[in-house]
Amino acid sequence: MLNDRQGNALSGATSETLVLYHRAIDAFNLYRGDPVTPLEQAIEAAPSFIMARIAKIYLFALATEPAAVAAARAELAAVKGLRLNDREASHVAILAQLLAGEWSAAGLALDYHNLHYPHDLLALQAGHLVDFYRANARNLRDRLARVLPRWSSEIPGHSIAMGMYSFGLEETGDYARAEQVGRQALDLQPLDCWAHHAVAHVMEMQGRAQDGIGWMTEREPYWSGDDNLFKVHNWWHLALCHLDLGQTKEVLALYDGPIRQERSTVVLDMIDASALLWRLTLTGQDVGERWQELAIAWDQHADGQLYPFNDWHAVMAYLGAGRDDRVEALLKTLRNTRRNSETADWARRIGLPLAEGFVAFWRGHYATAAERLHSVRFIANAFGGSHAQRDIIDWTLTEAAIRGGNRELAEGMANERLVLKPHSPINRDFLRRATAPAVAERQVACRGAQLEAPRSLPPRPRTYMRSIGPL
């Protein structure tokens, strides 16, 4: 029996299909190239190559897209009928839980799987993504911490494990170690997207926008290639750095260029697009017809059933495009969810109040928006995304408090944000507006009320860069 490069047995593999399998796993590890085609070629040549089929199911299941998940379920049903060894059977049981919407159960099963098979790199990366999709920051760190002592630099893939560990350190607030480990991983493998991404997150969370621009620009050749599946998200991080500095022209250029020029229908790319347009709108930018194109792209993914983090971002696009019918359809589905699964619970407890809060904000009902968002901001990390992605909740909540005249909440939120990013022009302007004289506050509230009527357009604040003065 042949083994993979970490020493795990691969039943049903041949010398030819082993090469294809390694090519696919490399593409998955680095988010560079096509991992699916070589797996399909390996399966066609050797139908009993179980791990090739399992790897394909993971790729489809973790896409959080309805069509891909349907394909993963069909493939899993076929694999269940085959003779499996213990490691393969463990993977199949994990995938069954994942495809049933039980992300935490799948994550827990992967905890035990990783301990028993610490060099199963596919399982480590799948576990890392499961932790990310359920926003389990501690396990993003500790899944790797538990097994890294059993790795060494002589084992292929060690740098990939370090890159994932770096991101876990960042999400748990250990920024210095996260940056150190991320840079070490990149010294070993410059193409490692998770390691590069982890360092970018450190700079975002520390408010080091200029450093972030330098980091992304200097390393652009490593992450911006056409075959890099992480490129849009990395461009999004660069755009956030420019936005934090008030450089909205640069942000719009990035959106119209590498972020959205290909009109990607990959759901992770569309999440970034929705979140960036929403942030631009909060700063008073007119994003024109960009919402319409994005809303159409969401139609094939936003079903209110599979993964509510996606549906929430679809709601942003539908609001921007003035497609109230789609907004109401998604809200209705989220409200009437009767399924008994973890993702259904996320939809009821988190996805629905978030969507309702963003709808209320867009329509000028700021007190309702603040109530919905404030009630859910501390549990929103249960259903996915990074701290940087979920920051849009607090940003919108702060803006709602300011426009709704809730001075205490507005000032408190501004102070909270300034502790984390004291030099951010956006956060400094939040505090200026939150503590403005009462007369100015009433004027802002009146403007918001006047703008409530046109439901296809957002309430428009003053552009924050007009009032902050020199830094």
Side-chain angles (χ1 to χ4, degrees):
M1 184 178 294
L2 298 175
N3 295 337
D4 65 20
R5 285 178 296 211
Q6 289 77 37
N8 302 290
L10 297 175
S11 59
T14 66
S15 297
E16 174 191 0
T17 58
L18 181 62
V19 173
L20 293 168
Y21 180 77
H22 285 157
R23 186 182 305 160
I25 298 302
D26 286 344
F28 182 40
N29 291 160
L30 300 175
Y31 295 86
R32 188 182 183 95
D34 173 16
V36 176
T37 298
L39 288 174
E40 291 179 336
Q41 292 170 342
I43 293 166
E44 183 178 2
S48 60
F49 186 178
I50 306 299
M51 282 308 301
R53 302 181 76 164
I54 284 172
K56 179 182 174 183
I57 299 170
Y58 271 120
L59 292 176
F60 283 18
L62 293 167
T64 69
E65 298 177 358
V69 169
R73 287 174 177 146
E75 183 71 19
L76 181 63
V79 170
K80 284 181 176 179
L82 302 176
R83 185 175 180 178
L84 308 173
N85 63 29
D86 289 344
R87 185 168 74 103
E88 295 159 354
S90 175
H91 275 300
V92 166
I94 290 163
L95 283 163
Q97 292 172 315
L98 184 61
L99 290 168
E102 299 295 343
W103 289 77
S104 291
L108 179 61
L110 276 163
D111 286 350
Y112 291 109
H113 182 101
N114 295 151
L115 289 170
H116 196 64
Y117 305 102
H119 301 136
D120 187 341
L121 189 58
L122 172 64
L124 280 175
Q125 192 163 352
H128 188 70
L129 288 170
V130 167
D131 293 336
F132 175 78
Y133 280 122
R134 63 197 176 114
N136 188 327
R138 178 174 173 179
N139 219 38
L140 279 167
R141 178 194 65 192
D142 293 347
R143 180 179 301 281
L144 277 301
R146 288 190 288 267
V147 300
L148 271 173
R150 299 176 69 177
W151 283 70
S152 71
S153 58
E154 286 72 38
I155 300 175
H158 181 234
S159 66
I160 302 300
M162 288 176 61
M164 290 186 281
Y165 184 48
S166 172
F167 185 70
L169 290 168
E170 178 277 322
E171 287 295 286
T172 50
D174 195 346
Y175 298 131
R177 277 209 303 161
E179 185 166 352
Q180 178 187 16
V181 173
R183 289 178 181 272
Q184 288 173 348
L186 289 168
D187 286 341
L188 298 170
Q189 174 47 273
L191 298 176
D192 183 356
C193 276
W194 269 117
H196 171 85
H197 174 238
V199 177
H201 267 266
V202 168
M203 294 173 179
E204 161 68 16
M205 297 309 295
Q206 292 183 322
R208 294 160 55 192
Q210 291 286 11
D211 285 349
I213 292 171
W215 172 252
M216 302 299 290
T217 303
E218 179 183 350
R219 302 197 73 262
E220 183 180 330
Y222 296 107
W223 57 259
S224 65
D226 290 341
D227 63 343
N228 193 305
L229 300 180
F230 232 52
K231 62 181 184 295
V232 168
H233 191 64
N234 278 320
W235 286 117
W236 180 79
H237 272 283
L238 179 59
L240 289 189
C241 293
H242 285 293
L243 187 59
D244 211 30
L245 296 173
Q247 298 167 352
T248 52
K249 288 183 179 179
E250 288 84 349
V251 178
L252 283 167
L254 287 170
Y255 183 92
D256 294 335
I259 291 176
R260 203 61 202 148
Q261 64 186 359
E262 296 179 6
R263 302 293 188 262
S264 170
T265 57
V266 175
V267 72
L268 296 177
D269 295 344
M270 296 193 301
I271 286 171
D272 289 338
S274 286
L276 190 56
L277 288 186
W278 188 271
R279 284 170 167 85
L280 281 164
T281 303
L282 290 180
T283 67
Q285 300 303 305
D286 182 359
V287 299
E289 300 297 310
R290 295 174 178 86
W291 284 120
Q292 278 68 21
E293 177 275 323
L294 183 59
I296 292 171
W298 271 113
D299 286 343
Q300 64 180 291
H301 295 304
D303 61 1
Q305 300 181 49
L306 181 62
Y307 188 60
F309 189 85
N310 298 349
D311 300 318
W312 166 43
H313 284 81
V315 165
M316 298 179 206
Y318 290 138
L319 287 169
R323 294 182 57 185
D324 286 354
D325 57 333
R326 289 292 295 157
V327 171
E328 296 307 322
L330 272 177
L331 290 177
K332 182 178 179 180
T333 302
L334 292 170
R335 287 171 183 149
N336 297 325
T337 296
R338 295 291 181 266
R339 293 171 293 113
N340 185 24
S341 67
E342 184 176 28
T343 50
D345 182 58
W346 290 344
R348 287 186 290 263
R349 291 192 308 114
I350 307 169
L352 178 59
L354 275 180
E356 288 177 337
F358 274 55
V359 170
F361 178 87
W362 192 268
R363 295 174 178 173
H365 306 306
Y366 301 123
T368 299
E371 184 274 327
R372 292 287 192 278
L373 299 181
H374 197 267
S375 69
V376 80
R377 63 189 293 248
F378 291 119
I379 63 171
N381 63 340
F383 87 138
S386 64
H387 296 309
Q389 286 177 306
R390 293 188 303 273
D391 181 58
I392 199 170
I393 301 170
D394 288 349
W395 191 342
T396 306
L397 169 59
T398 308
E399 189 65 48
I402 291 172
R403 295 196 213 177
N406 188 337
R407 289 175 62 87
E408 291 180 350
L409 178 59
E411 184 175 353
M413 289 299 301
N415 286 333
E416 177 184 315
R417 295 180 65 83
L418 279 164
V419 168
L420 298 174
K421 293 184 180 181
H423 304 295
S424 165
I426 295 170
N427 293 343
R428 291 174 61 182
D429 190 60
F430 275 148
L431 184 61
R432 182 198 62 77
R433 292 167 58 209
T435 57
V439 172
E441 176 188 285
R442 287 196 297 271
Q443 290 174 349
V444 171
C446 289
R447 283 199 297 273
Q450 291 168 358
L451 285 166
E452 179 181 340
R455 291 160 62 91
S456 62
L457 293 174
R460 292 282 303 282
R462 293 173 293 177
T463 304
Y464 66 88
M465 287 302 294
R466 293 176 183 169
S467 55
I468 59 174
L471 301 181

